[in-house]
Amino acid sequence: MNYVIAPSPTVSLPIVGSEQRFPVRRVFCIGRNYADHAREMGATVDKETPIFFCKPADALVSDGAPLPYPSATADLHHEVEMVVALGSGGTSIPVAEAMTRIWGYGVGLDLTRRDLQAIAKAKSHPWDVAKAFDHSAPMSALVPASQATLSDATRVSLSVNGQARQQALLGEMVHNVAEIIAALSRLFELKAGDLIFTGTPAGVAALQRGDTFHAELEGIVSLDGQVV
């Protein structure tokens, strides 16, 4: 096929223990999925109506690349999250079948320009400029689901400059992974290559230029990076 301009390269993520890569289609995120984080943000959780938003696939930062401090903000916040990668999709997926769509797991940061988000909230505007900016999704390599043993007791955590910032058990999520996939599939047609950021626990705070960070999905995979 002939294009009038060169097409953008396919965004992809490394796979632990493999030279193959995982091509990324879309990046979905859920908000307010840990009650303690919702409280620290002055919000409440509506179990019946999960909050979803998206990031562009090319916002991912992978393979140990440095994280550029974004423009237009003086209050960049970290939000550590378990990330689910889909190997298949569909619409109106039943909760009982949702886990069969998962290809693998990773850990990432949903970076937020908190000052811009506060302005958007005050004006009842969308959050796009606060969430979907360039380099807003540092991401680990993926581990295939067949090689990952997770439970409600699996911990997701983040330290910054060697100091603990965030940690929680997956069992503390308001909506579990199967429920997230099922709810998303009622709003979008999910497909192979989709990523889902599954929400952040309490302890979100600012990142500064020069900070180093270590995110971990306990016993599965970790992510290390630096803000430049």
Side-chain angles (χ1 to χ4, degrees):
M1 183 177 294
N2 293 324
Y3 296 99
V4 295
I5 60 172
S8 299
T10 299
V11 176
S12 64
L13 292 172
I15 298 168
V16 173
S18 174
E19 294 184 357
Q20 293 183 303
R21 296 183 67 88
F22 184 89
V24 177
R25 175 179 174 263
R26 302 177 84 174
V27 180
F28 298 100
C29 308
I30 184 171
R32 302 178 187 174
N33 201 32
Y34 285 83
D36 54 357
H37 171 59
R39 283 191 294 269
E40 76 176 350
M41 299 304 296
T44 57
V45 174
D46 183 352
K47 174 70 174 178
E48 300 305 315
T49 310
I51 297 173
F52 294 113
F53 58 94
C54 296
K55 291 178 181 277
D58 63 5
L60 293 170
V61 180
S62 65
D63 298 277
L67 173 64
Y69 195 93
S71 62
T73 185
D75 196 18
L76 175 68
H77 276 209
H78 57 70
E79 299 188 11
V80 68
E81 312 198 11
M82 178 178 74
V83 181
V84 173
L86 300 187
S88 62
T91 57
S92 299
I93 300 168
V95 171
E97 298 178 11
M99 300 300 284
T100 66
R101 296 335 198 246
I102 297 174
W103 185 91
Y105 298 93
V107 64
L109 301 185
D110 164 21
L111 296 180
T112 304
R113 295 194 279 206
R114 193 70 73 195
D115 43 3
L116 299 190
Q117 186 186 42
I119 293 169
K121 286 181 177 180
K123 296 182 177 181
S124 298
H125 288 176
W127 295 0
D128 296 63
V129 297
K131 290 287 193 178
F133 54 94
D134 296 342
H135 314 295
S136 61
M139 183 68 203
S140 73
L142 295 176
V143 174
S146 60
Q147 301 173 22
T149 301
L150 286 83
S151 72
D152 285 349
T154 300
R155 189 176 303 276
V156 61
S157 63
L158 175 73
S159 62
V160 177
N161 300 326
Q163 300 297 313
R165 288 277 185 94
Q166 293 183 267
Q167 62 174 340
L169 304 180
L170 297 184
E172 297 175 43
M173 290 194 294
V174 175
H175 306 271
N176 64 33
V177 173
E179 292 167 342
I180 293 170
I181 293 171
L184 267 176
S185 74
R186 293 193 292 270
L187 299 169
F188 304 91
E189 181 181 3
L190 301 179
K191 294 187 177 182
D194 289 341
L195 299 182
I196 304 172
F197 280 63
T198 61
T200 195
V204 300
L207 286 171
Q208 308 294 339
R209 292 173 179 84
D211 283 350
T212 60
F213 55 85
H214 175 79
E216 186 170 349
L217 182 60
E218 184 182 21
I220 307 298
V221 71
S222 63
L223 165 68
D224 291 281
Q226 183 171 25
V227 184
V228 298

